[in-house]
Amino acid sequence: MKAFAHLSASELRLLSRDPATLFFMVAFPAMLLLLNGSNDNLEIFVPGYLAMVLAIGGISTLPGVMASYRERKVLRRMATTPVSPFVLLTAQIAAQLVMALAGAAILIGVAVLGFKVALPAHPAALALSFVLCALMCYAIGFVLAALAPRARTADLIGLLVMFPMIFLAGAAIPREGVPGELREIGEYLPLTHAVTVLRESWFGAPSAMPFLIVSAIIVVGTAIAVALFRWE
C-alpha cells in the first residue's frame, strides 16, 4: 500500500507538470462552459463535459504514458523489483482519477456557482457513474496502449480515437445537435453510453441498462488489454 501511495503521488505530479494534460483535463471543459454561458439550456452541456474530462485523460493521455513506460523499459525494470508493474498501472489510474475529479470539481463549480445550474438530482448515482465511466475510458486507453508499438504512435491513436468520439457521443456538443446520420454512428460508441449514464444521473432517475453497458465495456476492454498488453 505504501508503494502504491508513493507511485500514485509520483504519477500525479508527472501529470500535473504536463501543461497540455493540466489544461485540457482541468481547465478546458470549464472554459467551454463559459463560452456557452449565454445558452438557455446550459445545464445540458455539463454531463457531456464530465465525460469529456474522462475521455481526454483515459483515451488520449493514458495510452501515451503507458506506451512510453514500455518503450523506455520502465515496466521491465520494475518487474525485477518488489514493486510489480501492476502497481504502476493502478497508480496511473489513481492519478488519472484525481486529475479528472479536479476537472469535474471546477466544471461543476462554474456551472452551479457561476450559472446557477441546479445540483444533480442523484449525487450518489452521479458519483458511481463518474467512476464507472472513468474505468471504462481507462480500459479503452490500456487497449490502445497495448496496440501501439511506440509512445508517439499511442499519442496519435489516442487523439484519433478521442476527438471523433467526443463529438459523435455528445460530450463536446449535446447529441441533439448532431446531424441524424452521425448521431446514428454515435449510438455504437462507448462514450455515448458514458454521456447517457452521466446525464440520467444528473437530471433524473438513472436506468439500469446504461450502467450495465458501461460495466460490460469495462470488463471486455480490461480482458482485451490484459491479453494484448506487452510489458516490454
Side-chain angles (χ1 to χ4, degrees):
M1 182 61 70
K2 186 176 180 180
F4 170 74
H6 178 74
L7 280 174
S8 298
S10 177
E11 291 297 308
L12 182 59
R13 283 195 298 270
L14 290 174
L15 285 175
S16 63
R17 290 172 183 171
D18 181 1
T21 299
L22 190 63
F23 173 74
F24 283 106
M25 285 189 68
V26 177
F28 184 62
M31 289 178 60
L32 288 179
L33 195 69
L34 290 170
L35 291 175
N36 287 286
S38 60
N39 194 298
D40 293 335
N41 298 312
L42 185 65
E43 65 277 359
I44 202 172
F45 287 85
V46 179
Y49 289 169
L50 290 174
M52 183 192 298
V53 171
L54 297 173
I56 290 171
I59 300 175
S60 178
T61 303
L62 186 146
V65 172
M66 298 315 304
S68 71
Y69 285 163
R70 184 177 60 232
E71 188 176 349
R72 292 187 285 117
K73 312 298 183 184
V74 173
L75 298 177
R76 187 177 70 176
R77 289 197 296 270
M78 288 194 68
T80 64
T81 70
V83 181
S84 70
F86 177 76
V87 177
L88 178 61
L89 301 185
T90 53
Q92 174 65 205
I93 291 175
Q96 288 279 351
L97 188 56
V98 171
M99 286 285 285
L101 287 171
I106 293 174
L107 174 65
I108 294 174
V110 171
V112 174
L113 300 178
F115 295 100
K116 310 301 180 184
V117 171
L119 290 170
H122 298 274
L126 182 67
L128 175 61
S129 301
F130 190 84
V131 172
L132 286 176
C133 294
L135 294 177
M136 184 197 76
C137 290
Y138 303 153
I140 295 172
F142 280 120
V143 172
L144 299 181
L147 294 173
R150 299 184 180 278
R152 288 187 177 181
T153 307
D155 287 332
L156 178 60
I157 293 175
L159 289 173
L160 290 176
V161 171
M162 188 270 294
F163 269 113
M165 193 179 294
I166 63 174
F167 283 100
L168 296 177
I173 57 175
R175 295 194 68 233
E176 292 82 353
V178 178
E181 293 182 357
L182 294 178
R183 187 161 59 244
E184 291 179 7
I185 296 174
E187 293 287 347
Y188 301 96
L189 298 177
L191 196 65
T192 299
H193 303 290
V195 174
T196 299
V197 75
L198 288 165
R199 181 184 285 194
E200 288 186 357
S201 299
W202 188 286
F203 293 114
S207 55
M209 185 55 66
F211 281 104
L212 294 175
I213 294 175
V214 170
S215 299
I217 295 172
I218 294 171
V219 173
V220 173
T222 302
I224 294 174
V226 169
L228 298 179
F229 196 84
R230 305 180 309 280
W231 297 100
E232 55 181 286

